[in-house]
Amino acid sequence: MSAGAGGWLQAGLLVLALVAVHRPLGDWMARVFTTDAVEGPKSRLWPRSGHWRVEKLVYRAVGVDADTEQRWPTYLRSVLAFSLVSVLFLYLLQRVQSVLPWSNGMAGVDSGSAWNTAVSFVTNTNWQGYSGESTMGHLVQMAGLAVQNFVSAAVGLAVAVALVRGFARTRTDRLGNSWVDLTRALTRVLLPMAVLGAIVLVLGGVVQNLSAGTDAMTLTGASQFIPGGPVASQEVIKQLGTNGGGFYNANSAHPFEGPSAWVSLFQVFLMLVIPFSLPRTFGRMVGDKRQGLAIVGVMATLATASLALNSWAQSRAGGAALQLAGAATEGQEVRFGGPLSALFGTATTLTSTGAVNSLHDSYTPAGGLLTMFNMMLGEVAPGGVGSGLYGMLVLAVIAVFVAGLMVGRTPEYLGKKLGRREMTLASLYVLTTPAIVLVGTAVAMATDAGRSSMLNDGPHGLSEVLYAFTSAGNNNGSAFAGLSANTPFYNTALGLAMAFGRFVPIVLVLALAGRLAQQGRTPATAGTLPTHQVLFVGLLSAVVLVVVGLTYFPVLSLGPLAEALS
Amino acid sequence: MTATLDRRPETAAEPRSQQRSSIDWGPALVGAVRKLDPRGLVRQPVVFVVWVGSVFSTVLAITDPSLFGWLIAAWLWLTVLFANIAEAVAEGRGKAQAASLRKARTSTVAVLEDGTEVPAPDLKPGMRVVVVAGQVVPGDGDVVEGIASVDESAITGESAPVIRESGGDRSAVTGGTTVLSDRIVVQITSKPGETFVDRMIALVEGASRQRTPNEIALNILLSSLTIVFLLAVVTLQPLAIYSGAEQSMTVLIALVVCLIPTTIGALLSAIGIAGMDRLVQRNVLAMSGRAVEAAGDVNTLLLDKTGTITLGNRQAAEFVPVGDATQAEVTESAQLASLSDETPEGRSIVALAGLGERDTGGAEFVPFTAQTRMSGVDLPDGRQLRKGAAGAVQNWVRSLDGAVPPDVAAVVDRIAASGGTPLLLAEAGGEGTRVLGVIHLKDVVKPGMKERFDELRRMGIRTVMITGDNERTARAIAAEAGIDDVLAEATPEDKLALIVKEQDGGRLVAMTGDGTNDAPALAQADVGVAMNTGTSAAKEAGNMVDLDSDPTKLIEIVEIGKQLLITRGSLTTFSIANDLAKYFAILPAMFAGVFPGLDTLNVMRLASPESAILSAVIFNALIIVALVPLALRGVKYRASSASAMLRRNLLVYGVGGVVLPFVGIKLIDLLVSLIPGIA
């Protein structure tokens, strides 16, 4: 079997698995976030009623009234406060890890790196300026990083659900209770799935122990350090929560993180499963499953196109050696073949995961361009847990606005009028990430502090810096490599990019949700723009591509495009 | 006089629209130059950015002179100028009309009841003025005394005079109109400076134009796109410097201007003014642009039955014999009974009988009275013929011990169920007292209405017929006319309640009205079109006034509203789609020198970097002028489903917007490259 055919087989398997799982999972999440506190009929298999006992304990411990719904500002304040506390806690934990147990003898992390890492994990970016096995002890890995892997994904889910409620509800100022949404996202979605996933990973050979590592003598007599650690438990949520922060520096290319081809493929599945199921949840909650199908259609269209292009770009690399090998091989996960690298690379940049099993820096320039472009889409195809859905819905608002005008009505999406306020919030959302990425890159390229970290010059060097800010601004977290990012400049700048790239959109999304929930609903008629048809799927895909393409065309032309066309 | 009141409104609208169909470029150019003042341009952020760019590039052309620099600067100024022309042309159309209206206003002097003279602008609400034949009514008000024929052509363009009288629904007079006969006393209702004419002047001039909600929302989107592209270009320079391809300010400014959505930004306000103007051409005055936009969104249309859906009068459709009467007997009797009946119904009966002239010598006609609810004729041979409401005629027959055949009830029911009005025809004397037959009077649905309502349904608009008829009759007419729903036996309160109910369901409602009791409903409706013949209260309550007083025009108003929004959306799509070609022109021009590979992107094979950039800028400017007629006329609108419309407009303005600039820029480049020093 040729590598290409194998690649398509892998992709086919993946699609089948996602199609099979997205319905039950999407429906389940819809139920999780719509079941109110009132006790319903008991079931032995699934407790379907009100709050679970363990959740009640959490609410009591945190001291929140779980039965009162919040207005959008309160919802926002809760989410922001929770994230701020998370950043502070994670920062402190890293700084003082040397005096705490299970530090494996690691020193306290220096302040710049600690700030960067704290922001990185809380914002679901998981950009890693450090090398895992030589910086973080097991305690930080488990109580700090792994915990954030869970809760940062839960924050994304909560915000997405709040926006969906904005569409689903009418004439109310209540968006739900953020503490309930966060807790349920953990107890009913992420934790159960992570347990199942971790078991699969351990069966697949991913290590799971508390060993600080052992020195072993190899056959040739050399001494080799074999690291250990609770890898599987972290690996599963790294993918499931679209986090991407690896236990080891080599991330999923490390044999203990990605021991075999099928485990690698399973990891891709874990990255995609929640983001691809959320549109179903959305369709359920707004009472029209076709709407969810349209959204997932857009995500799938963009993802498929990106994967096809990336595979093509990798296979038509220049140079005699590469021609013989059939494809570019440098930096690829050669154990499992190029196609799985392309699949992994596409999935990790299309979701906000950022885990890698190959080095994007070494992709062909066109392949590197694509991984960058994937992130520039704003992480919407399918994007991060929660953030993918809310990003796509905001883009849908923009698309509906222009298309709605073209059918001669004040634009409305799901019966909600898109007026001045709605468009202000959506426009600012679309403006935020490009501003962060472009300004960040320009500042880095204009300063010595920025340029001195570059390991390459010419367009490739520029690509490395552009990639770093694109990754941080879009909360992806993958790195192009070729950039020494553990410097005060990059720790600070990328930290800021991650923080703004995460929380400014959340503010706008929740404000939009509040605004939408207050509206009534205009009933759909023959004159209403249909948002569940193929035409709309094509339109929204085109809007995403055009808006992103036009924004980044100039910078790309000086980086990867210049390289690809030379 | 009845004849003049029944005028066909279309004749009045025609000359006006013809006179305004061409674009008057001369005065528009003067207006455009005047609009170069940046203080006014701030309202249009996109154009303002171009203005700033023009100033910058001019300074650069002066400090660092080059042919390229000067050409870019000149074309950027032209871009701003073209944007202003669009607005000036749109505004210019209303100016002539405003001037003639002003004349009517300024020369009037009012005479109060006590004989004192007051200049018209000083009139206050509550004052009573006397207007006699030949005088101009000095201000808006209601006739409180007298009756007069009034020439309203100054306002409506309609030369046939109308009757205005105290009391009732025809009491309103408008300042600026001329009394042709008799004498009336008018109680002024408008404040100084806020008369109908004042408002009209402001409207047609566009002076009081406030930006509408949707226009503001679109402007926000365009502003954010402008900021995105500004950022993309500003941040490009450090990267270009790093890459060893530092760009001149002139080139960067040119890139920004080409990328920001200048086309729609320049045409946006012209589209809005033109939308109002299209209404004015159809003799409709919208009191706010908001109402025009709302018209495009209307979900439910409330239409009065009489005059809108049906012709004003019922007509005889058939004669049905009952009992042992023959068809010939009934037809003849019906004609005889109606010969002297001058009502439209009576004349229609005679016409339907079609028996020609009859000798009526010696016959005594019995007119209709409210007491008998019958009319008819007493013939010289002693026969008495009566026709009238079913109950009244049956009582009359029974009171004379006559026979009411058993099939009468069935026929009456059938006619009523079909939406008609049954008139019973009976005779006394002659061959005995009996009911002869039933005359079927029918509401006649105006020709072409069914097609219009089908069109509305395709547009997703529900129609509701408002009528005083009973439910059954109403339903039958609705079915015939293709109306979706009826509000039967409707009182003004019912109407208001229906509007509120529809609005609670998230629907927008449009209606027409003329009476004082329509005022609350007109005010509640999202689009309330008052008839100009209506009362001041109605005109005050509605947000549009139809000078032709033609209720069917509501449908046109909806179409104009939709067309306005479609034009905005289509030109926005076009504007953004244009950017692709501009990138392919400008980016290789900027960077192919350093990265020769980027020349692959120069798919248009433009002659030189300078000619490429210049061609893009020129195309960007010229496309504005080219689209001015489209912006003023509006994108072609055909009633169809939303998806069909979207598909069509995406194809024309989306795909067209991608392709056209490739062709346009290439053609311009062929010309520009002839300039020595550019190619």
Side-chain angles (χ1 to χ4, degrees), chain B residues 277-320:
Chain B
D277 192 58
R278 275 200 295 281
L279 279 179
V280 173
Q281 284 175 40
R282 285 171 179 75
N283 264 356
V284 177
L285 289 184
M287 295 308 165
S288 72
R290 188 185 284 259
V292 187
E293 242 168 46
D297 282 355
V298 162
N299 301 88
T300 308
L301 221 49
L302 303 191
L303 299 163
D304 281 322
K305 184 194 82 176
T306 310
T308 311
I309 298 164
T310 62
L311 296 170
N313 310 307
R314 288 172 298 187
Q315 310 235 313
E318 60 171 334
F319 304 121
V320 186

Side-chain angles (χ1 to χ4, degrees), chain A residues 242-277:
Chain A
T242 61
N243 290 289
F247 197 89
Y248 304 119
N249 191 32
N251 211 309
S252 290
H254 195 289
F256 289 173
E257 286 196 30
S260 65
W262 76 262
V263 167
S264 239
L265 193 63
F266 181 65
Q267 291 180 355
V268 176
F269 168 77
L270 286 178
M271 286 182 221
L272 296 173
V273 65
I274 293 181
F276 265 127
S277 302

Side-chain angles (χ1 to χ4, degrees), chain B residues 585-604:
Chain B
I586 298 183
L587 284 181
M590 289 167 79
F591 300 127
V594 186
F595 303 114
L598 287 179
D599 199 46
T600 330
L601 297 181
N602 183 7
V603 288
M604 288 171 273

Side-chain angles (χ1 to χ4, degrees), chain A residues 169-465:
Chain A
R169 294 181 173 185
T170 52
R171 301 213 170 92
T172 175
D173 55 358
R174 306 287 159 158
L175 286 181
N177 184 309
S178 60
W179 302 110
V180 173
D181 292 339
L182 282 173
T183 310
R184 287 187 181 178
L186 292 169
T187 54
R188 306 190 190 187
V189 180
L190 295 169
L191 276 168
M193 290 179 73
V195 169
L196 287 176
I199 292 170
V200 174
L201 287 178
V202 170
L203 291 175
V206 179
V207 302
Q208 177 76 7
N209 56 48
L210 286 178
S211 152
T214 32
D215 283 309
M217 291 290 273
T218 63
L219 285 174
T220 54
S223 159
Q224 186 185 8
F225 175 74
I226 299 175
V231 181
S233 60
Q234 198 149 329
E235 187 66 22
V236 64
I237 191 62
K238 164 185 125 184
Q239 313 290 8
L240 190 64
T242 61
N243 290 289
F247 197 89
Y248 304 119
N249 191 32
N251 211 309
S252 290
H254 195 289
F256 289 173
E257 286 196 30
S260 65
W262 76 262
V263 167
S264 239
L265 193 63
F266 181 65
Q267 291 180 355
V268 176
F269 168 77
L270 286 178
M271 286 182 221
L272 296 173
V273 65
I274 293 181
F276 265 127
S277 302
L278 273 173
R280 170 85 182 180
T281 310
F282 161 69
R284 276 262 162 185
M285 287 177 75
V286 298
D288 183 356
K289 281 175 273 185
R290 296 170 311 172
Q291 303 290 349
L293 206 58
I295 294 292
V296 90
V298 177
M299 292 174 168
T301 306
L302 292 171
T304 312
S306 174
L307 176 63
L309 277 173
N310 203 338
S311 306
W312 173 79
Q314 290 304 99
S315 64
R316 61 176 290 281
L322 297 186
Q323 289 294 328
L324 274 178
T329 48
E330 185 198 322
Q332 300 292 304
E333 177 54 285
V334 285
R335 291 180 297 159
F336 315 137
L340 190 55
S341 291
L343 182 61
F344 203 108
T346 302
T348 198
T349 46
L350 279 174
T351 63
S352 80
T353 311
V356 288
N357 76 346
S358 54
L359 280 178
H360 298 174
D361 188 30
S362 307
Y363 277 35
T364 59
L369 170 75
L370 278 165
T371 56
M372 225 181 286
F373 194 80
N374 285 342
M375 293 187 286
M376 287 167 174
L377 292 176
E379 303 296 11
V380 291
V385 168
S387 62
L389 181 66
Y390 64 68
M392 184 57 95
L393 289 179
V394 172
L395 284 165
V397 164
I398 302 272
V400 165
F401 183 78
V402 178
L405 283 179
M406 277 196 284
V407 303
R409 291 175 66 87
T410 303
E412 59 212 13
Y413 186 39
L414 300 169
K416 303 288 188 175
K417 296 250 179 221
L418 304 178
R420 186 170 60 87
R421 289 272 199 79
E422 291 79 9
M423 286 316 291
T424 309
L425 295 166
S427 297
L428 284 174
Y429 183 101
V430 175
L431 187 60
T432 303
T433 325
I436 293 168
V437 173
L438 292 172
V439 171
T441 309
V443 168
M445 297 309 290
T447 52
D448 281 336
R451 281 196 304 263
S452 58
S453 287
M454 289 161 50
L455 304 182
N456 294 75
D457 55 7
H460 197 74
L462 194 148
S463 297
E464 286 160 359
V465 175

